[in-house]
Amino acid sequence: MTKKLLMGNEAIAHAALEAGVRVVAGYPGTPSSEIVEMVAKERAAGRAEGVHVEWSTNEKAALELLGGASYAGARCLYTCKQMGLNVASDPLMCLNYVGVKGGLVLIVADDPGPISSQTEQDTRRFGSFSKVPVLDPSTPDQAFAMVKAAFELSERYRTPVIVRPTTRVDHASAFFDIADRTRARDLIDGGFVRDPSHWVIFPRRAYEAHGEINERLPQIARDYASDTVFAAFNPLYGPGLAPLSAPDAVAAQLGIVAGGISAAYTLEALRLVEARAAACGAKVPAYRFWQVGTPYPFPEDEAARFAQGLERVIVFEELDSVLEDALTLAAGRRHLAYDVLGKESGDTRDRGENDVDDIAARLVRFFGLEEALAADDGVAPVALPQDAQLPARPPVLCPGCPHRGSFYAIKRALGKTPAVLCGDIGCYTLGNAQPLDAVDTCLCMGAGITQAQGFSVVEPGRKVIAYVGDSTFFASGMTGIANAAYNGHDITVVVLDNATTAMTGAQPHPGTGVTLMGPKNEPISIEAVLAACNFKKIVHADPLDLDAAIAAAHEAIFYEGPSAVLFESPCIQLVRPQAPVEIDHELCTGCKRCITEIGCPGIGFDPAAPGPKSGKRGTAFVDASLCNGCGLCVDVCPFSVIVPAAEAAGAKSDAAKEGGAHA
Ligand code: SF4
Ligand code: SF4
């Protein structure tokens, strides 16, 4: 064993390897991406024997692949972000009915805030919707333990199991004792055993399977209380945060319940409030605190025992009111006379992330300590925090990002032609920001191409553009491409091909041919896919060659019928930057076109730097620490005063020679 500092996601990967996982598959999505990458790293280093790991083309493909491997008796790990489970929901629902053989654990990382998602959906709800058990870690340590336990649970009941960390658990770090080497478990029963009555789902079998699911869920809820491994995920505390062996160990009227990262915040908040109360000479009323790490199936018997004698219970959780609803239901079903406070009652945040200060302030109110703790005794009060006034930092495309040239070329090609610009999921959603203002819609993965077809049907007078990234093209774009060609929709698909999955950390995809298992396979050509789908007009351009990019865009946009422009230029994360461009201060007119047209953060404007041509307007300047020399602004400046570094150096050298000759 070796002690290592690991991020939550890395710890999850190690836990799965130590549990003998044999097949790992997923699709990149923040905050989950590091799990697959860590498995690949361990395998490449020779420390994880017998494991297959891959980025699949999308989440559905990954889960279906794992379903097959699990039927053959392999332990399998699936990863995605919360939105990804929507894509994989079809196989998930059915897998639960068919059942699995090798343990199948899904890590679905939720994104409260949201920090990098379109929704704040709660995977615990997906658990109850699909009737799949859910474990909800509050720390990286707990995530590590839950992953191992989830494999056991999955095989015990032949059910997929979801482990649902959130961003702060995924990305927080802690020390772990990690096995130096791991080995994938052998296949259960030696492999797939044919049994059509089991593995082939027909309506009659689905009816029976539904009954089996309904029978096993209460048993799993009982396991959550009686199995010491699972019971440890639902710890109880009393005043002073002393661990309680049973709820009735403390006579209390107040109860606190929390799940996920909110449980860790609540422990910290309780410490703060108790310390503050002690400093003020105030007494915190007796309470019980229960962390629910096994939210589905909800351990209702345990909840009833916890709530015995309580009058009020406050619930801290992020995203949906899952625990709050379950406790309210339990109160009604068991005729227990406690009030439940939480999101629904307006007593806790109804969206976004929780934090320690906010929970502490709400606990002060819940305990009735506001007056006592507000006393001016020199000890900082625990106050309900106001939203912090931080400077706004709107997201923006990186300096030198080739997508900037693509968006600008499309807008220049369209001119004043009426158009709808459909975006998609990726860095390029940022094309909607000013001054580019080149994205009108963004729904979900792959939707840009299909939504564009809806616009073209009802508004034939407008040109309709659909942007799609190279990774998204393979993940969710191809069915929309086939639909456009099949139904003859007059749209222009603009493929923003930067040769990577940039937004989630530069993962490979089928268009790169690079795999996590070592060998590079032949890249799948996007152009060949488009051609195979009967796209008759396909043009290419380098988006940083502005004239060529505008010409290509024009040719595709004004073609009648489905057309495509392939803008090909690698993400700046993949290439060595060139020397920054320079602006000739003497010749700059201060017109600001370089800023107002493309909005690259590499260019600034100094109104206090007048030049001979700009007068009092001031002049533009290049921030050499940001500029990567992409050259797009060189083509944008109408006065040709922005020059590549080499050219600027040449001009200076010529001037020096000329000066020398005159001397
Ligand atoms: S660099 Fe060119 S575009 Fe920018 S302000 Fe000066 S003259 Fe105008
Ligand atoms: S060359 Fe111009 S557009 Fe490109 S990164 Fe530098 S400042 Fe930005």
Side-chain angles (χ1 to χ4, degrees), residues 44-230:
R47 292 189 291 265
E49 201 183 315
V51 68
H52 171 93
V53 56
E54 68 171 54
W55 287 125
S56 302
T57 45
N58 70 13
E59 296 86 349
K60 182 176 187 295
L63 189 54
E64 289 163 352
L65 176 149
L66 294 172
S70 168
Y71 289 5
R75 282 199 163 179
C76 298
L77 185 76
Y78 164 90
T79 78
C80 71
K81 67 182 297 178
Q82 87 280 19
M83 310 286 302
L85 195 56
N86 302 341
V87 180
S89 60
D90 208 1
L92 176 65
M93 299 298 291
C94 300
L95 272 171
N96 197 27
Y97 275 61
V98 173
V100 301
K101 190 162 84 179
L104 174 55
V105 176
L106 292 83
I107 310 293
V108 186
D110 280 0
D111 180 19
I115 297 170
S116 58
S117 305
Q118 308 96 293
T119 72
E120 277 204 298
Q121 67 190 64
D122 191 321
T123 297
R124 295 175 301 168
R125 291 274 194 229
F126 226 118
S128 56
F129 173 54
S130 57
K131 299 193 169 183
V132 170
V134 181
L135 306 179
D136 187 16
S138 65
T139 62
D141 294 84
Q142 213 170 48
F144 186 82
M146 282 182 176
V147 169
K148 291 185 172 183
F151 279 108
E152 299 296 331
L153 188 68
S154 176
E155 286 175 5
R156 190 181 301 169
Y157 290 99
R158 304 187 73 143
T159 172
V161 176
I162 295 172
V163 178
R164 191 259 344 203
T166 53
T167 309
R168 306 298 170 184
V169 175
D170 291 305
H171 292 165
S173 294
F175 280 100
F176 290 86
D177 289 316
I178 296 300
D180 295 323
R181 304 183 74 80
T182 59
R183 190 174 178 282
R185 283 201 179 195
D186 293 339
L187 301 181
I188 297 171
D189 300 332
F192 180 63
V193 179
R194 294 189 72 224
D195 180 0
S197 68
H198 186 131
W199 302 119
V200 182
I201 191 87
F202 280 114
R204 181 70 207 164
R205 172 69 199 125
Y207 177 78
E208 288 167 7
H210 195 180
E212 291 161 14
I213 292 168
N214 290 343
E215 276 171 28
R216 75 179 174 232
L217 286 171
Q219 183 56 46
I220 292 171
R222 284 193 287 278
D223 283 7
Y224 285 164
S226 61
D227 182 320
T228 52
V229 171
F230 291 98

Side-chain angles (χ1 to χ4, degrees), residues 14 19 29 40 44 220 236 387 392 398 436 517 548 590-591:
H14 277 281
I220 292 171
L236 267 173
D387 280 344
C398 300
L436 290 169
M517 292 296 286
C591 71

Side-chain angles (χ1 to χ4, degrees), residues 408-608:
Y408 188 59
I410 291 293
K411 294 212 64 172
R412 288 279 300 271
L414 279 167
K416 295 196 181 309
T417 308
V420 184
L421 307 163
C422 299
D424 216 296
I425 305 298
C427 302
Y428 50 98
T429 313
L430 296 173
N432 79 321
Q434 296 291 348
L436 290 169
D437 190 19
V439 172
D440 295 325
T441 69
C442 178
L443 182 65
C444 59
M445 289 283 283
I449 294 171
T450 22
Q451 283 203 302
Q453 296 165 45
F455 285 113
S456 78
V457 167
V458 297
E459 295 201 65
R462 292 199 203 206
K463 291 293 175 190
V464 191
I465 308 297
Y467 302 106
V468 64
D470 41 344
S471 185
T472 305
F473 181 89
F474 291 107
S476 306
M478 293 197 297
T479 45
I481 292 289
N483 195 65
Y486 170 48
N487 289 296
H489 294 303
D490 183 14
I491 65 165
T492 298
V493 177
V494 178
V495 183
L496 304 171
D497 185 352
N498 60 3
T500 191
T501 315
M503 191 167 75
T504 48
Q507 290 83 8
H509 60 70
T512 68
V514 175
T515 73
L516 295 179
M517 292 296 286
K520 182 174 174 183
N521 294 323
E522 187 178 340
I524 299 175
S525 158
I526 291 175
E527 179 173 7
V529 172
L530 288 163
C533 287
N534 295 340
F535 270 57
K536 303 291 185 214
K537 173 62 71 180
I538 305 169
V539 291
H540 297 250
D542 176 350
L544 297 175
D545 179 349
L546 194 54
D547 288 344
I550 294 170
H554 196 276
E555 189 179 344
I557 290 169
F558 292 96
Y559 174 83
E560 289 292 321
S563 63
V565 192
L566 274 58
F567 281 133
E568 294 156 324
S569 183
C571 171
I572 61 164
Q573 296 180 70
L574 306 181
V575 290
R576 189 185 290 271
Q578 299 178 56
V581 296
E582 293 184 13
I583 293 178
D584 189 331
H585 177 261
E586 303 296 306
L587 298 177
C588 174
T589 66
C591 71
K592 294 189 181 173
R593 285 280 294 277
C594 52
I595 295 168
T596 57
E597 294 281 297
I598 56 172
C600 174
I603 303 187
F605 195 82
D606 187 353

Side-chain angles (χ1 to χ4, degrees), residues 2-8 10-11 14 38 172-178:
T2 304
K3 193 171 278 300
K4 280 189 182 167
L5 181 65
L6 296 175
M7 188 195 283
E10 295 169 335
H14 277 281
M38 177 51 84
S173 294
F175 280 100
F176 290 86
D177 289 316
I178 296 300

Side-chain angles (χ1 to χ4, degrees), residues 399-400 581 598 600 602-603 622 627-633:
V581 296
I598 56 172
C600 174
I603 303 187
V622 172
C627 172
N628 81 341
C630 78
L632 182 65
C633 56

